[in-house]
Amino acid sequence: MKRFVFTDLDNTIVRHQSRIADNDNNQIQIVGTDESGNQSTVMTKADLEFFQEISHFGTVIPTTGRSMAGYSRLHGLVSGFNSWAILNHGATILMPEDSKVDATWLERTKGITARLTNDLLKVYQNLLSLNTVVIENCRHTNTIRLHQEHGFPLYISVRASREMPELHLWQQRQTIALLAHGQNDFELLHTGRITSVIPRQLNKKDAVLEVIRRLGDQIETLGVGDALTDLPFMQVCNFQRTPENSEIQRIDRRV
């Protein structure tokens, strides 16, 4: 029986270098760069051990919100993948033979986004008002991006500044929900300090189900992720794993 691992990347097996404690800097491996070519994405000793552990289960299939460019910048990791890949929160599937975009899935994505582009752009214009916000007399700067791939927009992200306290972050999420109110075709995904507005039909779960269908019968699958937003795709797999101290584990401890 063949086995496959569908795994999230960021904060599951890799992380931004800024999130590494100074005393851990001698135990990291650089695996990727940012848009300017600067070293930015790393794996700690614990990340490497976790990745090796899940890799022993079966063939690894990255399942990430990263764009094609962001995925390709993981130079020290991508070269080791030789199967399918799911990118852009499920909007893009790369085929195993040559890592080309799967044309059938791309047509599905085009059909979904074509119907929703005008509404997505309206939400984007609304969210631009959050470039600078004042919450309880504190001024914060956000980064609002309209993410595009394949020549058309896919989703919006609002990245809060690192200085924004958790309470203010929660209040801002409520504001984002109000600004996107009435757009039932979209959902809000909260991952760390990023809130994304994404068409409901573009998601990791549907993409994972599609790849599982193509892999055929007589397979076992493991879903791996760190965030609550990863749970839907993890739960369609036979088994689930999450790294230590992940968002999922922290929520479980509170229950």
Side-chain angles (χ1 to χ4, degrees), residues 11-15 20 42-52 243:
N11 302 318
T12 297
I13 59 174
V14 303
R15 61 200 68 245
I20 305 300
V42 303
M43 296 178 76
T44 65
K45 180 181 178 182
D47 295 330
L48 286 165
E49 290 174 351
F50 183 71
F51 180 57
Q52 289 168 359

Side-chain angles (χ1 to χ4, degrees), residues 27-238:
Q27 299 184 40
I28 64 174
Q29 176 176 316
I30 305 294
V31 295
T33 59
D34 60 19
E35 294 177 351
S36 300
N38 300 313
Q39 295 179 343
S40 62
T41 309
V42 303
M43 296 178 76
T44 65
K45 180 181 178 182
D47 295 330
L48 286 165
E49 290 174 351
F50 183 71
F51 180 57
Q52 289 168 359
E53 182 180 344
I54 62 174
S55 297
H56 288 156
F57 179 92
T59 301
V60 174
I61 299 177
T63 307
T64 177
R66 282 184 174 244
S67 66
M68 293 179 64
Y71 178 65
S72 67
R73 287 198 298 272
L74 293 175
H75 312 295
L77 193 61
V78 171
S79 59
F81 296 140
N82 57 8
S83 185
W84 301 83
I86 296 170
L87 313 180
N88 288 310
H89 295 287
T92 304
I93 293 178
L94 301 185
M95 297 184 295
E97 297 85 4
D98 49 18
S99 294
K100 288 186 177 179
V101 175
D102 183 84
T104 302
W105 195 253
L106 178 59
E107 284 304 309
R108 176 188 184 274
T109 297
K110 281 183 178 179
I112 293 169
T113 57
R115 178 172 59 85
L116 299 176
T117 294
N118 288 339
D119 290 337
L120 186 67
L121 293 178
K122 288 178 184 177
V123 174
Y124 176 61
Q125 291 300 318
N126 290 340
L127 293 177
L128 286 177
S129 64
L130 300 179
N131 270 314
T132 302
V133 297
V134 178
I135 303 175
E136 297 180 2
N137 296 321
C138 294
R139 183 180 296 272
H140 303 290
T141 300
N142 296 301
T143 302
I144 294 91
R145 290 187 59 188
L146 179 65
H147 296 261
Q148 302 190 58
E149 193 79 275
H150 315 300
F152 50 84
L154 292 178
Y155 67 97
I156 308 159
S157 68
V158 180
R159 180 187 291 271
S161 66
R162 294 176 187 168
E163 296 75 23
M164 183 179 289
E166 286 295 324
L167 176 60
H168 292 187
L169 184 62
W170 180 86
Q171 291 176 303
Q172 177 165 281
R173 287 174 176 174
Q174 309 312 305
T175 301
I176 294 172
L178 288 173
L179 291 173
H181 179 70
Q183 302 296 343
N184 294 326
D185 289 317
F186 299 96
E187 64 178 330
L188 302 184
L189 299 184
H190 306 296
T191 306
R193 294 188 166 271
I194 302 175
T195 297
S196 300
V197 182
I198 302 179
R200 292 185 184 277
Q201 291 180 278
L202 300 182
N203 58 75
K204 293 180 180 180
K205 175 184 174 181
D206 285 349
V208 167
L209 286 171
E210 175 65 13
V211 173
I212 288 175
R213 182 186 68 80
R214 299 201 197 180
L215 290 172
D217 299 328
Q218 302 302 311
I219 66 168
E220 284 187 339
T221 55
L222 171 66
V224 182
D226 72 297
L228 293 176
T229 54
D230 292 323
L231 280 175
F233 90 78
M234 293 168 63
Q235 290 171 339
V236 301
C237 297
N238 299 113

